[in-house]
Amino acid sequence: MEKTLVEDAAVQNEPSSNGHEHRHGRDAQSVKQQLLNLDRIDFDGVDIAVIRFNRPEQRNPIDKETIASLSELLDLLMAGEATPDAIVLTGNGSTFSAGGDLKGYQTLYRDPARFRRFMEDFEDVCRKLSTVSALTVAMVNGTCVAGGLEISLACDLITMSDGARIGDGHLQFAQLPGAGGSQRLVRAIGVQQAKKWLLTAELYDAATADKAGLIALIAQKEELESRTFELIAKSAKLTPLGRTRMKELVNIAQVTTLDEGLQQELNLVFDYATTSYDATEGLHAFAARRPPNYRGE
Protein backbone atom coordinates (compact mmCIF):
# COMPACT_ATOMS: atom_id res chain seq x y z
CA MET A 1 0.00 0.00 0.00
CA GLU A 2 2.87 2.40 0.71
CA LYS A 3 4.51 4.22 -2.19
CA THR A 4 8.13 5.08 -2.73
CA LEU A 5 7.84 8.69 -3.86
CA VAL A 6 5.09 11.23 -4.40
CA GLU A 7 4.22 12.47 -7.87
CA ASP A 8 1.90 15.28 -6.85
CA ALA A 9 -0.68 16.19 -4.26
CA ALA A 10 -3.29 13.84 -5.71
CA VAL A 11 -3.98 11.09 -3.18
CA GLN A 12 -6.57 8.46 -2.47
CA ASN A 13 -8.10 8.17 0.97
CA GLU A 14 -8.82 4.97 2.82
CA PRO A 15 -9.31 4.03 6.48
CA SER A 16 -6.41 2.51 8.38
CA SER A 17 -6.54 -0.35 10.83
CA ASN A 18 -6.41 2.07 13.76
CA GLY A 19 -9.26 4.18 12.46
CA HIS A 20 -7.08 6.99 11.11
CA GLU A 21 -7.17 7.84 7.44
CA HIS A 22 -4.20 6.85 5.28
CA ARG A 23 -3.48 8.80 2.12
CA HIS A 24 -0.98 7.25 -0.26
CA GLY A 25 0.80 9.20 -3.00
CA ARG A 26 1.50 7.82 -6.47
CA ASP A 27 4.97 6.85 -7.70
CA ALA A 28 7.00 9.73 -9.13
CA GLN A 29 9.82 7.51 -10.38
CA SER A 30 11.23 4.05 -9.95
CA VAL A 31 13.63 3.97 -7.02
CA LYS A 32 15.86 0.90 -6.84
CA GLN A 33 14.95 -1.45 -4.01
CA GLN A 34 12.39 1.08 -2.79
CA LEU A 35 14.86 2.93 -0.58
CA LEU A 36 12.07 4.87 1.11
CA ASN A 37 8.38 4.30 1.81
CA LEU A 38 5.95 7.18 2.23
CA ASP A 39 2.65 7.01 4.09
CA ARG A 40 0.37 10.06 4.49
CA ILE A 41 -1.78 9.69 7.61
CA ASP A 42 -4.67 11.81 8.83
CA PHE A 43 -4.36 11.63 12.63
CA ASP A 44 -7.37 13.41 14.12
CA GLY A 45 -7.19 16.10 11.46
CA VAL A 46 -3.39 16.39 11.50
CA ASP A 47 -1.65 15.54 8.20
CA ILE A 48 1.44 13.44 8.98
CA ALA A 49 3.89 12.21 6.33
CA VAL A 50 5.71 9.10 7.56
CA ILE A 51 8.93 8.29 5.69
CA ARG A 52 10.41 4.86 6.36
CA PHE A 53 13.93 3.76 5.50
CA ASN A 54 13.23 0.55 3.65
CA ARG A 55 16.26 -1.73 3.52
CA PRO A 56 15.84 -3.61 6.80
CA GLU A 57 17.97 -6.53 5.60
CA GLN A 58 20.90 -4.08 5.39
CA ARG A 59 19.89 -2.27 8.59
CA ASN A 60 18.62 0.75 6.61
CA PRO A 61 21.95 2.27 5.52
CA ILE A 62 22.30 5.98 4.82
CA ASP A 63 24.13 6.03 1.48
CA LYS A 64 24.22 8.49 -1.40
CA GLU A 65 21.13 6.95 -3.05
CA THR A 66 19.14 7.21 0.17
CA ILE A 67 20.24 10.80 0.69
CA ALA A 68 19.31 11.75 -2.88
CA SER A 69 15.89 10.11 -2.56
CA LEU A 70 15.22 11.69 0.84
CA SER A 71 16.19 15.12 -0.44
CA GLU A 72 13.86 14.79 -3.42
CA LEU A 73 11.03 13.50 -1.28
CA LEU A 74 11.33 16.36 1.21
CA ASP A 75 11.22 18.85 -1.67
CA LEU A 76 8.11 17.18 -3.12
CA LEU A 77 6.34 17.09 0.23
CA MET A 78 6.95 20.78 0.92
CA ALA A 79 6.08 21.99 -2.59
CA GLY A 80 2.65 23.35 -3.44
CA GLU A 81 -0.43 23.69 -1.26
CA ALA A 82 -0.85 20.22 0.30
CA THR A 83 2.15 20.31 2.61
CA PRO A 84 2.00 18.06 5.68
CA ASP A 85 1.77 19.36 9.23
CA ALA A 86 4.56 16.98 10.26
CA ILE A 87 7.19 14.70 8.73
CA VAL A 88 8.17 11.58 10.66
CA LEU A 89 11.27 9.53 9.84
CA THR A 90 11.53 5.93 11.00
CA GLY A 91 12.85 2.57 9.85
CA ASN A 92 11.26 -0.60 8.57
CA GLY A 93 12.28 -3.70 10.50
CA SER A 94 14.10 -3.63 13.83
CA THR A 95 16.53 -0.83 12.92
CA PHE A 96 16.03 2.92 12.49
CA SER A 97 19.36 3.17 10.66
CA ALA A 98 22.78 1.71 11.37
CA GLY A 99 24.41 4.61 9.52
CA GLY A 100 26.55 4.81 6.43
CA ASP A 101 27.42 2.11 3.93
CA LEU A 102 30.92 1.19 5.17
CA LYS A 103 31.63 -1.03 2.18
CA GLY A 104 30.58 1.74 -0.17
CA TYR A 105 32.86 4.19 1.60
CA GLN A 106 35.88 2.14 0.51
CA THR A 107 35.08 3.13 -3.07
CA LEU A 108 33.85 6.62 -2.25
CA TYR A 109 37.03 7.55 -0.37
CA ARG A 110 39.04 6.91 -3.53
CA ASP A 111 37.04 9.60 -5.34
CA PRO A 112 37.44 12.76 -3.24
CA ALA A 113 35.15 14.89 -5.41
CA ARG A 114 32.28 12.39 -5.17
CA PHE A 115 32.84 11.97 -1.44
CA ARG A 116 32.74 15.73 -0.92
CA ARG A 117 29.45 15.94 -2.85
CA PHE A 118 28.00 13.15 -0.73
CA MET A 119 28.94 14.96 2.48
CA GLU A 120 27.46 18.22 1.20
CA ASP A 121 24.26 16.48 0.06
CA PHE A 122 23.92 14.75 3.44
CA GLU A 123 24.29 18.03 5.32
CA ASP A 124 21.84 19.68 2.91
CA VAL A 125 19.21 17.04 3.81
CA CYS A 126 19.85 17.64 7.50
CA ARG A 127 19.47 21.37 6.96
CA LYS A 128 16.15 20.81 5.20
CA LEU A 129 14.89 18.71 8.12
CA SER A 130 15.78 21.44 10.59
CA THR A 131 14.35 24.37 8.62
CA VAL A 132 11.17 23.15 6.83
CA SER A 133 7.94 24.64 8.12
CA ALA A 134 6.56 21.19 8.99
CA LEU A 135 7.38 19.68 12.36
CA THR A 136 10.06 17.00 11.83
CA VAL A 137 10.34 13.98 14.11
CA ALA A 138 12.79 11.08 14.22
CA MET A 139 10.78 8.13 15.53
CA VAL A 140 13.56 5.80 16.63
CA ASN A 141 12.06 2.32 16.51
CA GLY A 142 15.35 0.39 16.81
CA THR A 143 19.11 0.78 16.59
CA CYS A 144 20.10 4.30 15.54
CA VAL A 145 23.80 4.84 14.90
CA ALA A 146 26.19 7.24 13.14
CA GLY A 147 24.36 8.67 10.09
CA GLY A 148 21.06 7.61 11.64
CA LEU A 149 21.88 9.72 14.70
CA GLU A 150 22.91 12.65 12.49
CA ILE A 151 19.55 12.62 10.70
CA SER A 152 17.75 12.33 14.05
CA LEU A 153 19.66 15.30 15.47
CA ALA A 154 18.54 17.43 12.54
CA CYS A 155 14.87 16.80 13.35
CA ASP A 156 12.85 18.98 15.70
CA LEU A 157 12.04 16.10 18.04
CA ILE A 158 13.27 12.57 18.70
CA THR A 159 10.97 9.90 20.10
CA MET A 160 12.29 6.47 21.01
CA SER A 161 11.16 2.94 21.66
CA ASP A 162 12.07 1.64 25.10
CA GLY A 163 13.96 -1.23 23.46
CA ALA A 164 15.93 0.87 20.99
CA ARG A 165 19.55 1.94 21.27
CA ILE A 166 21.17 5.13 20.02
CA GLY A 167 24.69 6.50 19.70
CA ASP A 168 27.35 7.92 17.40
CA GLY A 169 29.51 4.84 16.87
CA HIS A 170 31.76 6.36 14.21
CA LEU A 171 35.03 5.65 16.02
CA GLN A 172 34.12 1.96 16.30
CA PHE A 173 35.34 1.71 12.69
CA ALA A 174 37.80 4.63 12.72
CA GLN A 175 35.31 7.03 11.08
CA LEU A 176 34.21 10.59 11.95
CA PRO A 177 30.76 12.23 11.77
CA GLY A 178 30.58 14.44 8.68
CA ALA A 179 26.92 15.50 8.53
CA GLY A 180 26.70 17.61 11.65
CA GLY A 181 26.87 14.78 14.18
CA SER A 182 29.60 16.28 16.34
CA GLN A 183 28.25 19.83 16.14
CA ARG A 184 24.57 19.07 16.75
CA LEU A 185 25.21 16.48 19.46
CA VAL A 186 27.24 18.97 21.52
CA ARG A 187 24.40 21.45 21.29
CA ALA A 188 21.81 18.79 22.13
CA ILE A 189 23.36 17.20 25.23
CA GLY A 190 26.31 19.40 26.23
CA VAL A 191 30.06 19.11 25.82
CA GLN A 192 30.86 16.44 28.43
CA GLN A 193 28.04 14.08 27.50
CA ALA A 194 28.76 14.56 23.79
CA LYS A 195 32.46 13.78 24.31
CA LYS A 196 31.49 10.63 26.16
CA TRP A 197 29.18 9.52 23.35
CA LEU A 198 31.59 10.45 20.57
CA LEU A 199 34.85 9.24 22.12
CA THR A 200 33.59 5.87 23.38
CA ALA A 201 31.44 5.01 20.31
CA GLU A 202 29.00 3.29 22.67
CA LEU A 203 25.26 2.86 22.14
CA TYR A 204 22.81 3.89 24.85
CA ASP A 205 19.33 2.80 25.80
CA ALA A 206 16.31 5.08 25.76
CA ALA A 207 16.46 5.84 29.49
CA THR A 208 20.05 7.06 29.17
CA ALA A 209 19.24 9.13 26.08
CA ASP A 210 16.29 10.65 27.92
CA LYS A 211 18.43 11.51 30.96
CA ALA A 212 20.94 13.19 28.65
CA GLY A 213 18.13 15.39 27.28
CA LEU A 214 18.29 14.01 23.75
CA ILE A 215 14.75 12.66 23.30
CA ALA A 216 11.22 14.01 23.75
CA LEU A 217 9.53 10.79 24.86
CA ILE A 218 10.00 7.06 25.43
CA ALA A 219 7.27 4.56 24.58
CA GLN A 220 6.85 0.83 24.36
CA LYS A 221 7.48 -0.32 20.81
CA GLU A 222 3.83 -1.10 20.10
CA GLU A 223 2.80 2.35 21.38
CA LEU A 224 5.62 4.40 19.83
CA GLU A 225 3.72 5.48 16.73
CA SER A 226 0.51 6.50 18.52
CA ARG A 227 2.41 8.31 21.28
CA THR A 228 4.52 10.11 18.68
CA PHE A 229 1.43 11.15 16.72
CA GLU A 230 -0.23 12.43 19.89
CA LEU A 231 2.81 14.60 20.61
CA ILE A 232 2.79 15.92 17.05
CA ALA A 233 -0.93 16.75 17.30
CA LYS A 234 -0.32 18.95 20.34
CA SER A 235 2.00 21.14 18.28
CA ALA A 236 0.25 20.87 14.91
CA LYS A 237 -3.00 22.26 16.29
CA LEU A 238 -1.27 25.48 17.35
CA THR A 239 -0.53 28.35 14.97
CA PRO A 240 1.50 27.00 12.03
CA LEU A 241 3.23 30.33 11.44
CA GLY A 242 4.07 30.68 15.12
CA ARG A 243 5.48 27.15 15.14
CA THR A 244 7.71 27.91 12.17
CA ARG A 245 8.95 31.13 13.76
CA MET A 246 9.59 29.29 17.04
CA LYS A 247 11.73 26.78 15.15
CA GLU A 248 13.68 29.69 13.67
CA LEU A 249 14.30 31.10 17.14
CA VAL A 250 15.63 27.76 18.42
CA ASN A 251 17.87 27.42 15.36
CA ILE A 252 19.22 30.94 15.93
CA ALA A 253 20.19 29.95 19.47
CA GLN A 254 22.34 27.13 18.11
CA VAL A 255 24.40 29.18 15.68
CA THR A 256 24.90 32.60 17.29
CA THR A 257 26.30 34.17 20.42
CA LEU A 258 23.83 35.10 23.17
CA ASP A 259 23.98 38.81 22.31
CA GLU A 260 23.41 38.14 18.61
CA GLY A 261 20.60 35.71 19.39
CA LEU A 262 18.83 38.18 21.67
CA GLN A 263 18.95 40.85 18.97
CA GLN A 264 17.65 38.47 16.30
CA GLU A 265 14.92 37.30 18.69
CA LEU A 266 13.84 40.90 19.25
CA ASN A 267 13.69 41.58 15.50
CA LEU A 268 11.86 38.35 14.64
CA VAL A 269 9.30 38.65 17.43
CA PHE A 270 8.64 42.33 16.63
CA ASP A 271 7.98 41.47 12.99
CA TYR A 272 5.77 38.48 13.89
CA ALA A 273 3.71 40.40 16.46
CA THR A 274 3.13 43.46 14.29
CA THR A 275 2.59 41.89 10.87
CA SER A 276 1.09 38.41 11.28
CA TYR A 277 -2.59 37.54 11.36
CA ASP A 278 -2.07 34.60 13.71
CA ALA A 279 -0.44 36.66 16.48
CA THR A 280 -3.40 39.05 16.55
CA GLU A 281 -5.93 36.23 16.17
CA GLY A 282 -4.50 34.48 19.22
CA LEU A 283 -5.08 37.58 21.34
CA HIS A 284 -8.60 38.12 19.96
CA ALA A 285 -9.53 34.48 20.61
CA PHE A 286 -8.25 34.75 24.18
CA ALA A 287 -10.24 37.93 24.82
CA ALA A 288 -13.41 36.47 23.30
CA ARG A 289 -12.93 33.10 25.04
CA ARG A 290 -13.32 31.24 21.75
CA PRO A 291 -11.14 28.78 19.79
CA PRO A 292 -8.66 30.59 17.50
CA ASN A 293 -8.93 30.39 13.72
CA TYR A 294 -5.33 30.49 12.57
CA ARG A 295 -4.43 31.02 8.92
CA GLY A 296 -0.70 30.43 9.02
CA GLU A 297 -0.05 34.01 7.98
Side-chain angles (χ1 to χ4, degrees):
M1 292 170 62
E2 294 162 352
K3 298 297 182 180
T4 307
L5 285 175
V6 178
E7 180 180 23
D8 51 33
V11 291
Q12 292 184 342
N13 301 335
E14 60 185 50
S16 72
S17 59
N18 62 5
H20 301 297
E21 185 179 84
H22 286 242
R23 304 188 298 163
H24 303 283
R26 299 197 303 267
D27 287 336
Q29 64 181 46
S30 174
V31 178
K32 256 186 187 180
Q33 299 175 320
Q34 292 194 335
L35 303 178
L36 304 172
N37 290 158
L38 171 66
D39 198 8
R40 291 290 285 268
I41 297 175
D42 184 334
F43 182 81
D44 294 339
V46 178
D47 181 7
I48 302 175
V50 181
I51 301 172
R52 294 180 174 87
F53 300 116
N54 189 39
R55 282 184 287 174
E57 70 286 348
Q58 299 175 49
R59 305 187 72 198
N60 297 325
I62 306 296
D63 55 18
K64 59 186 181 65
E65 290 82 11
T66 299
I67 289 299
S69 296
L70 182 55
S71 180
E72 180 183 1
L73 183 50
L74 291 172
D75 288 344
L76 287 166
L77 285 170
M78 300 311 298
E81 297 289 329
T83 59
D85 297 306
I87 298 171
V88 174
L89 297 178
T90 193
N92 277 335
S94 61
T95 303
F96 178 85
S97 172
D101 176 9
L102 299 185
K103 291 182 179 179
Y105 284 164
Q106 296 178 45
T107 301
L108 204 55
Y109 282 6
R110 293 195 294 269
D111 190 337
R114 285 181 62 213
F115 181 56
R116 179 79 181 199
R117 285 197 302 274
F118 167 69
M119 293 179 67
E120 291 173 347
D121 290 346
F122 197 160
E123 176 52 30
D124 183 60
V125 162
C126 290
R127 190 174 293 110
K128 287 178 182 179
L129 288 168
S130 67
T131 59
V132 294
S133 59
L135 187 70
T136 56
V137 181
M139 187 168 68
V140 178
N141 58 305
T143 303
C144 177
V145 192
L149 174 63
E150 290 181 295
I151 282 180
S152 298
L153 287 168
C155 293
D156 298 317
L157 299 170
I158 302 174
T159 64
M160 193 169 172
S161 163
D162 59 358
R165 296 190 304 158
I166 192 168
D168 179 69
H170 276 99
L171 282 181
Q172 188 72 35
F173 299 100
Q175 304 302 298
L176 295 174
S182 61
Q183 304 305 298
R184 290 189 175 95
L185 187 63
V186 170
R187 288 164 171 78
I189 64 176
V191 173
Q192 286 300 310
Q193 283 293 317
K195 282 184 175 180
K196 178 182 176 182
W197 284 45
L198 293 164
L199 294 173
T200 64
E202 290 184 347
L203 302 185
Y204 299 93
D205 60 21
T208 303
D210 184 44
K211 186 176 180 180
L214 183 66
I215 61 178
L217 70 80
I218 305 171
Q220 294 181 356
K221 187 171 184 178
E222 60 272 17
E223 297 178 351
L224 180 62
E225 181 173 294
S226 62
R227 292 280 306 281
T228 298
F229 289 177
E230 289 167 2
L231 178 62
I232 289 169
K234 290 179 181 179
S235 176
K237 291 180 179 178
L238 302 175
T239 161
L241 180 62
R243 184 180 66 236
T244 300
R245 295 293 179 266
M246 190 69 80
K247 287 177 57 167
E248 292 176 16
L249 289 171
V250 174
N251 287 337
I252 287 169
Q254 298 187 76
V255 298
T256 65
T257 65
L258 177 59
D259 286 343
E260 291 171 343
L262 290 171
Q263 185 60 50
Q264 290 191 48
E265 178 188 69
L266 187 155
N267 294 337
L268 189 153
V269 174
F270 175 80
D271 179 72
Y272 173 75
T274 58
T275 65
S276 76
Y277 172 88
D278 282 6
T280 301
E281 168 62 10
L283 298 179
H284 288 167
F286 171 78
R289 298 184 179 181
R290 60 167 174 79
N293 181 26
Y294 297 125
R295 297 178 182 172
E297 59 186 42

